[in-house]
């Protein structure tokens, strides 16, 4: 994606290796002993303490969102050539918190479309599936020059999907080049993006596509 | 990518190894993105009360 300092891998034994070890300990379950980490790496104590503080602060702020966000890990991308309903997958186009968008060929009509599927597939909780279905239906009802038209809504092998016109463009991450956007500008940008039902996306939904 | 890593970790609770595989970076590189992502967000955090 965006080149720059963000792409350099930290050297072994660096602060980020220490943080990675700490995060993995967290992932293995149980509480990771921050005191021991700080004591073991006094040279990074300031940075580590700042990281722990920021992690707690942000973690606390987004905690309410975690209950509604899909918790499962990523589902492998559908392999090119795979058939989904009447579509042949050509490649992965974009991926967000809840859905993945493929470029696909609608076999019967021979046209290339964007095919959106729920990220966790057939294993998605009923609530996510219902939300996805509502999004698809709402999007299909919209007719607006700024909104990509929906062609088809369906389900294949227990995975809901919908297809829409494929629009070439840059995604937001590429546009930003890894830099945070000034708040005022970000607000304007988000306000200009219609949500799935033509209104703004609710602040609590924390999804990226 | 900072943003994506922070969202995956904190909003969706992904494990470090999963995020690393997903974005195609080493675990330390993901830790770095996460650390700097949180750092960048810090100025937007509401002030702590008291």
């Amino acid at each position: 994606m965006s080149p720059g300092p963000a792409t350099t891998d930290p050297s072994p034994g660096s602060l980020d290796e220490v943080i990675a070890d700490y995060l993995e300990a967290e992932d293995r379950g149980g509480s990771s002993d921050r005191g021991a980490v700080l004591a073991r790496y006094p040279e990074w104590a300031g940075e580590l303490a700042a990281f722990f503080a920021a992690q707690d602060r942000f973690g606390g702020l987004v905690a309410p969102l975690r209950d509604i966000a899909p918790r499962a890990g990523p589902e492998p991308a559908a392999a090119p050539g795979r058939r989904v309903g009447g579509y042949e997958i050509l490649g992965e186009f974009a991926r967000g918190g809840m859905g993945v968008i493929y470029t696909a060929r609608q076999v019967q009509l021979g046209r290339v479309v964007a095919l959106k599927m729920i990220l966790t597939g057939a294993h998605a909780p009923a609530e996510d599936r219902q939300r996805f279905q509502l999004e698809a239906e709402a999007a299909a009802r919209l007719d607006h020059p700024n909104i990509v038209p929906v062609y088809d809504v369906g389900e294949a092998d227990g995975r809901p999907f919908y297809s829409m016109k494929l629009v070439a463009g840059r995604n937001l991450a590429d546009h930003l080049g890894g830099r945070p956007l000034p708040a005022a500008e970000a607000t304007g940008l988000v306000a200009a993006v219609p949500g799935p039902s033509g209104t703004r996306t609710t602040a609590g939904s924390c999804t990226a596509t | 990518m900072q943003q994506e890593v922070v969202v995956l970790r904190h909003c969706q609770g992904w494990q470090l190894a999963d995020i690393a595989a997903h974005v195609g970076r080493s675990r330390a590189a993901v830790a770095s993105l996460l650390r700097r992502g949180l750092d960048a967000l810090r100025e937007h955090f509401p002030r702590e009360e008291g």
Side-chain angles (χ1 to χ4, degrees):
Chain A
M1 293 198 201
S2 56
T7 60
T8 355
D9 270 12
S11 54
S14 69
L15 169 63
D16 293 316
E17 290 279 353
V18 174
I19 289 178
D21 287 343
Y22 167 82
L23 293 172
E24 282 184 342
E26 229 181 35
D27 289 344
R28 281 192 296 271
S31 56
S32 343
D33 190 345
R34 293 178 172 185
V37 177
L38 290 172
R40 193 167 162 203
Y41 301 100
E43 69 272 35
W44 300 120
E47 288 85 348
L48 288 168
F51 174 75
F52 294 149
Q55 201 189 21
D56 289 350
R57 196 83 183 90
F58 187 66
L61 289 173
V62 301
L65 301 177
R66 291 187 66 149
D67 294 333
I68 57 168
R71 205 157 303 194
E75 170 147 306
R82 206 190 101 183
R83 284 290 188 99
V84 174
Y87 298 86
E88 180 193 347
I89 302 291
L90 300 175
E92 186 171 318
F93 183 67
R95 188 181 276 250
M98 185 170 176
V100 54
I101 300 176
Y102 300 106
T103 50
R105 179 177 296 109
Q106 189 172 8
V107 177
Q108 204 174 3
L109 296 176
R111 67 179 168 185
V112 176
V113 303
L115 185 73
K116 182 167 180 178
M117 303 190 78
I118 197 163
L119 193 59
T120 45
H123 312 294
E127 202 181 312
D128 286 352
R129 296 167 57 88
Q130 193 185 9
R131 196 151 58 116
F132 186 87
Q133 191 68 33
L134 287 174
E135 173 188 318
E137 286 168 12
R141 277 197 299 271
L142 294 173
D143 180 17
H144 187 277
N146 289 350
I147 296 171
V148 180
V150 168
Y151 292 144
D152 182 23
V153 180
E155 193 176 299
D157 304 325
R159 296 184 70 175
F161 69 80
Y162 66 94
S163 67
M164 58 202 143
K165 185 176 179 181
L166 182 65
V167 178
R170 297 191 306 166
N171 72 22
L172 190 58
D174 291 342
H175 177 70
L176 293 177
R179 285 182 308 279
L181 200 63
E185 214 178 308
T187 312
L189 195 62
V190 172
V193 179
S197 56
T199 61
R200 278 185 236 171
T201 309
T202 52
S205 72
C206 207
T207 61
T209 50
Chain B
M1 194 178 283
Q2 264 180 31
Q3 189 188 26
E4 181 181 14
V5 165
V6 170
V7 168
L8 289 177
R9 177 77 189 179
H10 287 282
C11 295
Q12 301 190 22
W14 283 27
Q15 300 214 337
L16 184 66
D18 287 339
I19 301 173
H22 178 60
V23 299
R25 294 284 166 80
S26 72
R27 30 166 246 136
V30 173
S32 171
L33 288 165
L34 203 52
R35 178 171 59 81
R36 284 178 293 119
L38 286 176
D39 214 41
L41 280 170
R42 196 151 44 169
E43 59 191 278
H44 300 290
F45 291 175
R47 298 245 176 271
E48 298 233 38
E49 288 175 28

